[in-house]
Amino acid sequence: MTPLADVVVVETGTANVASVVAALARLGRRALLTRDAEVVRTADCVVVPGVGTFGAAVASIDAAKLRRVLSERVARDQALFGICLGMQVFGDASEESPGATGLGAYRGVFRRFPQRPLLRVPQFGWNRIEGDGQGIDDGYAYFANSYRLEEAPAGWSVAWADHGGPFVAALERGATTLCQFHPEVSGTYGATCLQRWLERSRCLSEVTA
Amino acid sequence: MSLCVRIIPCLDMKGGRVVKGVRFGALRDVGDPVELAARYAQEGADEIVVLDVTATLEERGHRLDLLRRLRRVLDVPLTIGGGIASVDDALQVLAAGADKVAINSAALATPALIDSMAERFGAQCTVVAIDVSRQSQGFAVLSRAATCDSGRELGAWAAEVEARGAGELLLTSFDRDGTGQGFDLEAIAVARAHTTLPIIASGGAKDEGDLAPAIAAGADAVLAAGMFHSGRVTIDSARRALIQAGLELRT
């Protein structure tokens, strides 16, 4: 049998990439870690992981000349999965790093969770997700974030969660999935998200010589 | 809808094996870390914490190898602590498969390490472990595997840790560790009064009945080792006890 194409994981210089690689391996997929813009451009499927700060992630993308390549992948509906900060960088901006410009694949500014009694910030742990029936399934996933998107951008299928008010848990459009939670450590629910994306997009294509 | 309460089995490691003791001493062998972690995750554990209780220099290489093996099987968050003394140390364990890094003695010795870690990896990655012991007044923060009194007091340290950018506290009662006397609810309440960060309560859980009171006292997650290792309590029975107490858990 011809092996399936590697999943290209963008090295954004942030933290838990090993968890992403391991999650893909459990789905039988080999991950290729890279910052090479040409590799990212021509890949069958790309994962943009992210833990860290908005400004650092955007700067890292720019330093690797990945801004245009990543934006075009989303615009051309080439398979891409963004995780946590890897979702946020595709928005417009974040309160976390004023002045840093996101990739603008959808309209939205990330704001800090409100400061109020009993509301823990960062949001750390498992929260319930409600899909809109067209994209991400209902279930529980693991979050680790202090900033979130409150309004749904037009043109995307949206899943919601609640932490001091509703916020966007995931966005889907065609072969693009962007999620605020961490599928790589969200048990069976997370594995199913990744697998569904691999199946939906062209990521099941066999390696061509 | 709100965040679920978390149940976190803890693996205390020594020489590549899981051990468990009383008040950080009298360690005995409990089993293989990868086997145990995989079993707990399969049974529904929300996270796994691995603490290297004797993280000596020569053991660090083994630890990275163990981490890689743990990562392969674990599909829930993994926090690593023990002997992390620098951003470079943290980077190594993250590269090997940790999702979060807990620092303790090094943060007490050099509090700016918390700032550096939060800046480099984000608050989401930066856990500060605090070991405390009851004094005639309040709680003393201990360091170096509870062999030294750091001279700090729990409330003030919890507030400083938050101000420096940490994302979570792992609060362990040294007095209760391994004793089965239940969590030190007062310590949890003191920490809660000084921080809005998530708190993982640790030290002293005997059975299911000890869990909900820790949440009521202000914790967001309950960590236990001995009661799970002995088989006295399963992840499932712990879950059921918390659900019965009216708390939300993931399904």
Side-chain angles (χ1 to χ4, degrees):
Chain A
M1 205 179 85
T2 322
L4 295 168
D6 288 348
V7 176
V8 165
V9 177
V10 179
E11 276 193 297
T12 45
T14 52
N16 77 333
V17 171
S19 297
V20 177
V21 173
L24 290 167
R26 284 192 293 272
L27 296 172
R29 304 304 293 257
R30 206 171 58 173
L32 175 69
L33 286 163
T34 187
R35 287 173 61 75
D36 185 321
E38 190 54 20
V39 173
V40 174
R41 193 180 69 79
T42 56
D44 277 338
C45 36
V46 169
V47 173
V48 184
V51 179
T53 63
F54 185 87
V58 167
S60 163
I61 284 169
D62 282 335
K65 302 209 177 335
L66 281 166
R67 177 178 286 265
R68 188 154 155 215
V69 168
L70 290 172
S71 299
E72 282 180 359
R73 285 197 70 97
V74 175
R76 293 175 182 162
D77 199 26
Q78 293 168 313
L80 183 137
F81 197 114
I83 299 172
C84 195
L85 202 54
M87 165 200 184
Q88 298 188 0
V89 293
F90 284 95
D92 291 319
S94 169
E95 270 183 8
E96 182 176 27
S97 307
T101 308
L103 276 59
Y106 58 86
R107 295 275 77 82
V109 175
F110 284 78
R111 301 189 196 285
R112 197 172 166 84
F113 285 113
Q115 206 171 10
R116 72 169 72 142
L118 299 180
L119 189 72
R120 308 282 191 260
V121 182
Q123 167 181 224
F124 243 141
W126 298 78
N127 204 339
R128 191 148 59 93
I129 290 168
E130 285 180 4
D132 62 1
Q134 299 168 43
I136 298 283
D137 298 326
D138 292 355
Y140 285 88
Y142 184 86
F143 290 83
N145 61 306
S146 299
Y147 298 81
R148 86 295 191 220
L149 187 64
E150 294 158 280
E151 301 94 28
W156 294 76
S157 164
V158 183
W160 296 92
D162 194 297
H163 190 60
F167 71 93
V168 175
L171 296 170
E172 268 194 354
R173 189 180 71 192
T176 306
T177 298
L178 303 169
C179 60
Q180 182 59 74
F181 57 87
H182 287 273
E184 73 277 18
V185 290
S186 289
T188 310
Y189 178 84
T192 305
C193 277
L194 284 167
Q195 181 62 25
R196 224 171 42 84
W197 168 72
L198 288 166
E199 285 169 7
R200 207 177 68 245
S201 43
R202 298 186 306 114
C203 298
L204 290 182
S205 65
E206 292 176 341
V207 173
T208 47
Chain B
M1 287 196 293
S2 67
L3 278 185
C4 300
V5 167
R6 287 172 282 157
I7 297 172
I8 307 178
C10 177
L11 310 182
D12 296 313
M13 299 290 310
K14 188 187 177 186
R17 299 283 292 176
V18 180
V19 294
K20 184 58 202 156
V22 177
R23 293 195 186 96
F24 294 21
L27 303 176
R28 57 190 169 71
D29 188 279
V30 174
D32 176 72
V34 179
E35 254 171 55
L36 270 176
R39 195 182 87 205
Y40 291 144
Q42 200 166 22
E43 288 175 359
D46 295 305
E47 290 185 41
I48 302 287
V49 168
V50 174
L51 297 177
D52 224 330
V53 292
T54 58
T56 59
L57 217 51
E58 68 268 22
E59 280 181 355
R60 288 197 184 174
H62 298 151
R63 171 163 73 182
L64 294 179
D65 181 55
L66 168 67
L67 260 173
R68 288 182 199 104
R69 289 190 291 133
L70 280 169
R71 187 72 275 167
R72 259 176 242 143
V73 300
L74 279 185
D75 60 1
V76 295
L78 173 61
T79 302
I80 300 298
I84 308 288
S86 66
V87 167
D88 272 354
D89 288 349
L91 197 59
Q92 280 195 350
V93 295
L94 285 166
D99 297 295
K100 303 191 254 185
V101 181
I103 50 174
N104 188 340
S105 306
L108 287 162
T110 315
L113 177 59
I114 301 168
D115 307 61
S116 311
M117 280 197 34
E119 202 169 299
R120 177 72 176 78
F121 309 118
Q124 294 76 5
C125 210
T126 307
V127 180
V128 174
I130 306 181
D131 299 334
V132 296
S133 181
R134 270 172 188 268
Q135 307 294 298
S136 50
Q137 286 192 333
F139 292 87
V141 177
L142 308 178
S143 82
R144 299 184 164 275
T147 56
C148 309
D149 184 339
S150 70
R152 290 175 183 272
E153 181 273 320
L154 170 59
W157 182 230
E160 179 172 345
V161 158
E162 175 171 5
R164 287 182 177 279
E168 188 167 51
L169 301 185
L170 167 51
L171 177 64
T172 301
S173 163
F174 166 73
D175 310 321
R176 302 290 176 92
D177 175 61
T179 66
Q181 295 172 337
F183 292 107
D184 193 327
L185 303 180
E186 211 180 309
I188 298 167
V190 167
R192 176 46 69 216
H194 288 82
T195 179
T196 61
L197 291 179
I199 296 174
I200 302 171
S202 156
K206 185 181 87 205
D207 58 32
E208 298 90 339
D210 288 327
L211 306 179
I215 303 300
D220 303 280
V222 285
L223 179 147
M227 74 176 198
F228 292 130
H229 299 338
S230 68
R232 204 160 66 235
V233 175
T234 63
I235 303 291
D236 189 55
S237 66
R239 287 173 49 82
R240 278 185 279 121
L242 286 167
I243 290 168
Q244 211 155 36
L247 296 162
E248 184 171 0
L249 279 91
R250 72 171 171 125
T251 49

